[in-house]
Amino acid sequence: MNLLLDWLHAQGLSGIPRAHWIEAAITGSLVLVALAVGLVAQRFVGRPLSQAWKGRLTGQAESLGSRLPGIVRHGTAALLLAILINAHDWSKLAAAPVGLALGAATALSVLAILRGLGIARWMAWLVATALFVALFSHAVGGLQPITSTLERIGFDVGKRRFSLLALLTILITVIALYALVRLANRFIAHWVSQSRAFDATQKLLAQKLAGIAVVVVAFFVGVDILDIDLTTFAVFSGALGLAIGFGLQKTVGNLIAGIILLMDRSIKPGDVIVVGEDIGWVNKIGVRAVSVITRDGKEHLIPNENLMTQAVENWSYTDRNVRVRIVVGVSYASDLKLAQQLMLRAADESPRVLDSPKPNVWLTAFGDSAIEHEILVWISDPEGGVGNVRSDVLNRLWWLFKEHGIEIPFPQREVHVRTSPPQDPH
């Protein structure tokens, strides 16, 4: 005991009342209890919650789901420690371990949440560190000196004070709002994707409109939190808005055109449209452009405004059935009735050709060297391409013609060479 008193005297702590040491022992024990409860919550609440999260929110905030056990652990401990620190007017000595554990648990919880939402590592660590320092300093009654020091480091511009504290506050506010926007968008996207009241196009439109609304709300909340007076920027924002309006005229036009396309459903994801001379299916309607993938694997990014102002051939606008024309010529010496029957047979045997409407054969012209026909077939999956259907029918028809002796003519030319008699040199 004497040795302990001598050490306390050497450290300048011998003057601390005995009651404060007792409080410190109590709070230290309660801190250990809170941390133990956090471990229990991680096992019995965090892990089942993580499995349920991954099962129900497939494709939405996956990395956040894997971090849920740690979030529950540190969050539970932080909640209990916050109750403890506010339950009694503790001495600084007793509040120090609580504040230390509270700051660490809160920082770890926030760090896991931000990283789970895909926030950059340096941003997450900045917010976590600021929270740790603020909570620990507040617990021991030392937050005011820190804020005063940060406020003194800066400069004045007119009536506005730009300090390190203001910069730190702005950064933390922006990061927090950015994280909330990402979290809200993911939950909204999951809710809309699971809704049975909307079709695919309406779901996409709802997600985009909800995303815009969330960003607008976050902007005004940030302005209110940071106490930014927008009236001081009225003239500047007007000039800047005018300049941006001219510069982003096409971008805004494409944005509005994309929303209109989704509202009137004239073009929607999955539709098959004609892009130039190529056929492609609409993969995605974005903010600026529509992504169209052709059968060659080429992805065309067509501005939304172009699809609004130009004629577009949409093969699946009201009906997904598409008619394919296949040109065939047969010899004049062939049995015309048999050849037409074989054409219908080749079309009927092709797997992608529909039974209803039925295939048909038209005689279109008497050509120079062949009797020309068109085989008309219908398909219901134009996104699978039409060239392969045409190829399949022609391949089948080739072997049927071979089997039944139907001749496919080709242009022939006869060349007569005449020689003049030799002339007498005399």
Side-chain angles (χ1 to χ4, degrees):
M1 180 63 68
N2 293 331
L3 291 175
L4 178 60
L5 292 175
D6 291 341
W7 181 83
L8 293 175
H9 180 75
Q11 300 297 322
L13 301 175
S14 58
I16 298 177
R18 180 183 181 86
H20 291 182
W21 287 105
I22 296 175
E23 285 186 355
I26 293 173
T27 55
S29 302
L30 293 176
V31 165
L32 295 178
V33 172
L35 296 178
V37 173
L39 288 173
V40 174
Q42 177 184 14
R43 179 177 180 180
F44 293 101
V45 178
R47 293 175 184 175
L49 185 61
S50 176
Q51 295 175 358
W53 180 284
K54 293 179 181 179
R56 294 184 60 86
L57 297 179
T58 303
Q60 301 291 336
E62 307 88 347
S63 57
L64 187 60
S66 62
R67 297 174 186 267
L68 274 179
I71 295 173
V72 170
R73 172 187 173 182
H74 300 303
T76 302
L79 178 61
L80 294 176
L81 292 170
I83 296 174
L84 176 61
I85 196 69
N86 292 285
H88 181 71
D89 188 14
W90 304 103
S91 63
K92 292 183 179 181
L93 181 64
V98 183
L100 181 64
L102 175 60
T106 305
L108 290 174
S109 299
V110 172
L111 183 63
I113 293 173
L114 294 180
R115 292 297 294 153
L117 291 174
I119 305 300
R121 187 181 301 273
W122 70 269
M123 293 182 181
W125 276 104
L126 174 66
V127 176
T129 303
L131 283 174
F132 172 77
V133 173
L135 291 174
F136 179 66
S137 301
H138 178 71
V140 297
L143 185 59
Q144 182 62 36
I146 295 177
T147 56
S148 299
T149 302
L150 294 176
E151 181 66 26
R152 285 197 299 268
I153 304 174
F155 56 91
D156 296 324
V157 176
K159 298 180 179 179
R160 192 74 178 179
R161 174 70 177 175
F162 292 92
S163 63
L164 189 58
L165 179 62
L167 176 62
L168 188 61
T169 303
I170 292 173
L171 282 175
I172 293 176
T173 303
V174 170
I175 295 171
L177 290 175
Y178 178 58
L180 290 175
V181 167
R182 289 180 66 90
L183 183 62
N185 283 336
R186 293 187 180 189
F187 274 108
I188 291 173
H190 171 72
W191 176 77
V192 171
S193 64
Q194 297 297 318
S195 176
R196 298 181 180 179
F198 304 132
D199 58 22
T201 305
Q202 292 171 336
K203 288 179 180 179
L204 183 58
L205 176 60
Q207 290 178 9
K208 291 186 178 298
L209 294 179
I212 295 173
V214 169
V215 171
V216 171
V217 170
F219 171 77
F220 285 106
V221 169
V223 168
D224 183 66
I225 292 175
L226 298 175
D227 195 22
I228 299 176
D229 187 7
L230 295 180
T231 58
T232 58
F233 300 97
V235 177
F236 173 74
S237 60
L240 181 62
L242 185 62
I244 293 177
F246 281 111
L248 300 180
Q249 183 179 4
K250 287 292 184 181
T251 302
V252 175
N254 285 322
L255 172 62
I256 297 175
I259 294 176
I260 294 175
L261 287 175
L262 291 172
M263 291 180 64
D264 67 2
R265 302 175 62 189
S266 57
I267 295 177
K268 51 189 180 294
D271 280 354
V272 180
I273 65 176
V274 178
V275 182
E277 298 181 355
D278 296 326
I279 302 169
W281 58 279
V282 179
N283 179 39
K284 176 183 178 183
I285 299 180
V287 174
R288 187 191 65 84
V290 173
S291 168
V292 179
I293 300 179
T294 65
R295 292 288 296 169
D296 297 332
K298 299 177 181 178
E299 188 167 4
H300 296 259
L301 297 178
I302 306 174
N304 297 331
E305 198 172 12
N306 290 0
L307 297 178
M308 283 288 297
T309 57
Q310 299 178 6
V312 178
E313 188 176 340
N314 190 342
W315 286 9
S316 52
Y317 178 48
T318 56
D319 189 358
R320 296 189 62 80
N321 290 351
V322 174
R323 188 167 69 174
V324 181
R325 298 175 179 267
I326 305 171
V327 178
V328 178
V330 297
S331 170
Y332 279 93
S334 301
D335 185 343
L336 194 61
K337 185 175 182 180
L338 175 61
Q340 293 174 350
Q341 291 175 351
L342 295 177
M343 293 179 197
L344 287 175
R345 177 180 170 184
D348 288 331
E349 292 178 353
S350 185
R352 289 182 57 197
V353 173
L354 299 178
D355 296 331
S356 179
K358 294 182 178 181
N360 198 4
V361 175
W362 285 0
L363 193 156
T364 57
F366 296 106
D368 293 338
S369 58
I371 303 177
E372 298 175 359
H373 293 78
E374 272 191 354
I375 306 175
L376 307 178
V377 299
W378 291 85
I379 60 175
S380 60
D381 52 350
E383 66 275 5
V386 296
N388 47 11
V389 176
R390 186 179 291 111
S391 174
D392 182 70
V393 173
L394 289 177
N395 270 290
R396 295 174 186 275
L397 187 59
W398 169 263
W399 295 109
L400 289 175
F401 278 1
K402 283 279 189 181
E403 182 181 348
H404 293 84
I406 302 297
E407 181 183 353
I408 301 177
F410 54 90
Q412 300 182 22
R413 296 290 183 269
E414 293 184 2
V415 179
H416 299 277
V417 180
R418 295 182 179 181
T419 57
S420 59
Q423 297 180 357
D424 186 358
H426 303 287

